[in-house]
Amino acid sequence: MPTSSSSTSEHAAASTTQPEKMTRFLAILIDSVLTMLVSWIPVLGPLLGAGYFLVRDGLTLDFMNQRSIGKHVMGLKVKRADGQAMDIETSAKRNWMFAIGGVTALVAEIPLLGWLLALPISLAALAIGLYEGYRVLTRSDQKRWGDDMARTTVVKA
């Protein structure tokens, strides 16, 4: 069955802007290492790390240009399906699942029961993180659950 030239050209344009999976992995690795370093600051560190992961793609700081530090270094950006600029609200919809780690660290600070409460939260965060990675690796459009929720996609900058 023949395809229209417009759908073929749209597919070609999408495939040329789609990043390599290793590039996406390195971008999140950079963000994760930075977040881990910040999280070593007692009490506030985990909150700062969770906050960064939550809003990282919507920050309007000049050097980041509405993308995380990892995406900036790796030459990636997040695009919204509606064509609008990334904002903190869309970033939070896209990244809430990665902020769970900071919540876990905060809950763990509760005397006596903290570690018991933190364990199921940690396991849920791990499961969600593995699911997100699985989706990026197995889907042709590389969209993870957060991308579907926020109606975004990661592209080459």
Side-chain angles (χ1 to χ4, degrees):
M1 179 174 202
T3 59
S4 71
S5 62
S6 65
S7 66
T8 304
S9 63
E10 287 171 11
H11 178 66
S15 64
T16 59
T17 60
Q18 196 172 51
E20 297 292 324
K21 291 174 183 176
M22 182 57 76
T23 304
R24 283 191 72 173
F25 171 76
L26 292 173
I28 197 166
L29 181 65
I30 291 166
D31 288 334
S32 297
V33 168
L34 292 173
T35 302
M36 181 184 67
L37 293 173
V38 169
S39 72
W40 289 342
I41 300 169
V43 182
L44 286 180
L47 287 176
L48 292 172
Y52 169 72
F53 250 92
L54 192 63
V55 301
R56 66 192 172 134
D57 296 319
L59 294 173
T60 57
L61 303 172
D62 286 339
F63 72 96
M64 291 174 65
N65 195 22
Q66 293 170 309
R67 53 188 169 164
S68 72
I69 293 170
K71 285 184 190 72
H72 181 77
V73 169
M74 298 308 299
L76 303 174
K77 66 181 178 179
V78 180
K79 290 184 72 174
R80 289 175 40 168
D82 64 7
Q84 298 293 317
M86 276 299 292
D87 57 15
I88 289 177
E89 181 182 344
T90 305
S91 181
K93 284 180 191 174
R94 184 176 187 276
N95 296 310
W96 65 267
M97 63 285 300
F98 296 121
I100 295 173
V103 173
T104 302
L106 186 63
V107 168
E109 296 291 327
I110 298 171
L112 301 175
L113 295 177
W115 285 103
L116 286 174
L117 295 171
L119 182 61
I121 298 170
S122 298
L123 292 174
L126 176 62
I128 292 169
L130 290 173
Y131 178 66
E132 291 284 78
Y134 171 79
R135 283 181 58 122
V136 169
L137 292 173
T138 60
R139 289 179 53 144
S140 63
D141 63 3
Q142 297 184 22
K143 285 190 173 195
R144 52 183 192 80
W145 187 29
D147 288 318
D148 284 343
M149 294 172 111
R151 300 189 64 230
T152 58
T153 189
V154 176
V155 297
K156 295 177 187 175

